Amino acid sequence: MNRWAIVTNNFEKARAILQTIVTMCDKGTVIRTVYSKNEIFAELSDGTLIRWWRCSDSSRGMKCCKLWCDREIDQLIFENAIKPNYYGEKEDIIWI
C-alpha cells in the first residue's frame, strides 16, 4: 500500500491540499474521504492512503513515499520525525 502524507499543523492547509488531490482524481478513484477536526484522509482505489500528519516534538512519524510538507515545520522536527519516515527523494518533497 502506498502512503502519502500531508505534513502541517494547519488544518485548513491540509484540507485544501487533500481536496485539490481528490478533485484531480478520475471518477471512481477515490473510495473514501474523511474531514474531521482530528483526522483528514482519503483512500484511493489502488490502495493509496493520503493522510494528514500533524507534527510535534513527540510525533512518532508515519512511513510515506510521497510528501507535502509545510515550510513552517521546525527543521529539527523535520530531521528527526519526518525525514526518517520518508522513502522518496528529498528533491521530490512538495513544500507548501
Side-chain angles (χ1 to χ4, degrees):
M1 173 185 349
N2 286 327
R3 291 180 186 227
W4 299 357
I6 302 168
V7 181
T8 181
N9 292 323
N10 184 316
F11 173 85
E12 291 301 323
K13 210 182 255 194
R15 188 172 61 101
I17 291 167
L18 188 62
Q19 284 178 332
T20 301
I21 295 168
V22 166
T23 302
M24 292 175 17
C25 290
D26 293 332
K27 188 175 182 174
T29 302
V30 180
I31 295 173
R32 178 171 67 146
T33 57
V34 171
Y35 297 98
S36 73
K37 67 178 185 173
N38 296 317
E39 187 174 37
I40 297 174
F41 75 88
E43 184 179 349
L44 307 183
S45 59
D46 67 354
T48 299
L49 186 63
I50 309 167
R51 185 174 296 271
W52 171 38
W53 173 15
R54 270 186 281 194
C55 268
S56 67
D57 293 334
S58 61
S59 291
R60 287 184 10 181
M62 177 179 78
K63 294 186 184 325
C64 60
C65 60
K66 188 162 181 92
L67 182 64
W68 287 262
C69 190
D70 196 333
R71 293 180 192 279
E72 296 174 11
I73 294 291
D74 182 85
Q75 268 313 109
L76 191 59
I77 292 172
F78 177 81
E79 291 296 325
N80 294 327
I82 301 168
K83 194 174 172 185
N85 291 295
Y86 173 59
Y87 291 99
E89 299 295 325
K90 188 169 182 176
E91 57 271 2
D92 292 335
I93 296 172
I94 301 166
W95 293 98
I96 53 174

